[in-house]
Amino acid sequence: MTRILITAFEPYDRWKQNSSWLALVDLTSWYEGALEISTRRYPVDLPKLREMLEADLARNYDYAIHLGQAPGSPVIKLESVGLNLRTNGEPLLVDAPAAYRSTLDLDGCLERLTAAGIPSQISHHAGTYLCNAALFLSQHYGEMMGRRTQSLFLHLPLTPGQVATDGSALASMSTPMQSAAIAVVSEHLAQADR
């Protein structure tokens, strides 16, 4: 059985909810597939994120799918590169590679998402905030700990409820569509292992 860790973030700044956590909670309410899924909600705090992520990856999952929200994005973004870079320009880790490129079948994931009618794209830059940190550290810890865990990051749009509460005109996507996307990607990765 394929074991997958799926993580999301808590709310931050002006956002009283986080679309990544809403989507993950929704997924757990209906998913009954063959995958063994473990979930985590990470704090928006780099030292705590590092500590929790390292402990989680010690459980040697097959995959780690990290979720985060991307205000303004109209599509789900499959992030292909984790950078060893913080917002202030300093590295996340000294004596670590400058970046890790995903070796997962992102093109296949994109095809499956598109076929399911879910707007998506492959992105080559996850920013320099905690979303990027989660991807880079997950890739690095997996490599350094000799684990089989392969990591992926999905940036999710805001939900319509978040946009309405914010009073803005930012792009949004429904939580059910986002949770369906997570399931589609998870199932595709598991099938690629067979």
Side-chain angles (χ1 to χ4, degrees), residues 113-142:
L113 289 167
T114 301
I118 302 173
S120 309
Q121 69 182 33
I122 294 175
S123 168
H124 304 292
H125 196 297
T128 56
Y129 196 49
L130 280 185
C131 292
N132 172 72
L135 176 58
F136 177 83
L137 293 172
S138 186
Q139 292 168 315
H140 184 72
Y141 292 149

Side-chain angles (χ1 to χ4, degrees), residues 77-83 85 122-129 132 155:
K77 295 182 178 180
L78 299 112
E79 301 296 348
S80 63
V81 179
L83 300 174
L85 188 65
I122 294 175
S123 168
H124 304 292
H125 196 297
T128 56
Y129 196 49
N132 172 72
H155 257 132

Side-chain angles (χ1 to χ4, degrees), residues 7-166:
T7 73
F9 282 108
E10 67 182 3
Y12 64 93
D13 293 342
R14 75 179 196 258
W15 305 107
K16 304 303 181 191
Q17 295 180 307
N18 191 307
S19 62
S20 67
W21 180 245
L22 295 173
L24 185 51
V25 169
D26 189 68
L27 176 72
T28 62
S29 74
W30 61 264
Y31 182 78
E32 296 180 352
L35 304 177
E36 182 182 316
I37 295 176
S38 298
T39 64
R40 299 286 185 276
R41 184 166 102 157
Y42 287 156
V44 180
D45 179 282
L46 183 56
K48 290 179 182 176
L49 168 66
R50 283 181 177 170
E51 181 182 341
M52 292 175 69
L53 185 55
E54 191 168 3
D56 284 336
L57 292 179
R59 294 182 171 90
N60 209 22
Y61 294 94
D62 295 295
Y63 297 99
I65 299 176
H66 304 291
L67 311 172
Q69 75 175 20
S73 175
V75 301
I76 290 176
K77 295 182 178 180
L78 299 112
E79 301 296 348
S80 63
V81 179
L83 300 174
N84 187 8
L85 188 65
R86 299 173 63 173
T87 304
N88 63 7
E90 295 178 1
L92 287 163
L93 296 173
V94 178
D95 297 326
Y100 286 102
R101 179 174 294 280
S102 176
T103 58
L104 296 172
D105 181 21
L106 300 186
D107 289 328
C109 290
L110 181 60
E111 288 175 13
R112 293 282 299 275
L113 289 167
T114 301
I118 302 173
S120 309
Q121 69 182 33
I122 294 175
S123 168
H124 304 292
H125 196 297
T128 56
Y129 196 49
L130 280 185
C131 292
N132 172 72
L135 176 58
F136 177 83
L137 293 172
S138 186
Q139 292 168 315
H140 184 72
Y141 292 149
E143 184 79 18
M144 294 301 101
M145 295 165 71
R147 304 296 186 189
R148 67 170 175 262
T149 307
Q150 296 182 74
S151 302
L152 174 64
F153 195 96
L154 298 179
H155 257 132
L156 308 179
L158 297 172
T159 67
Q162 287 178 286
V163 173
T165 299
D166 189 53

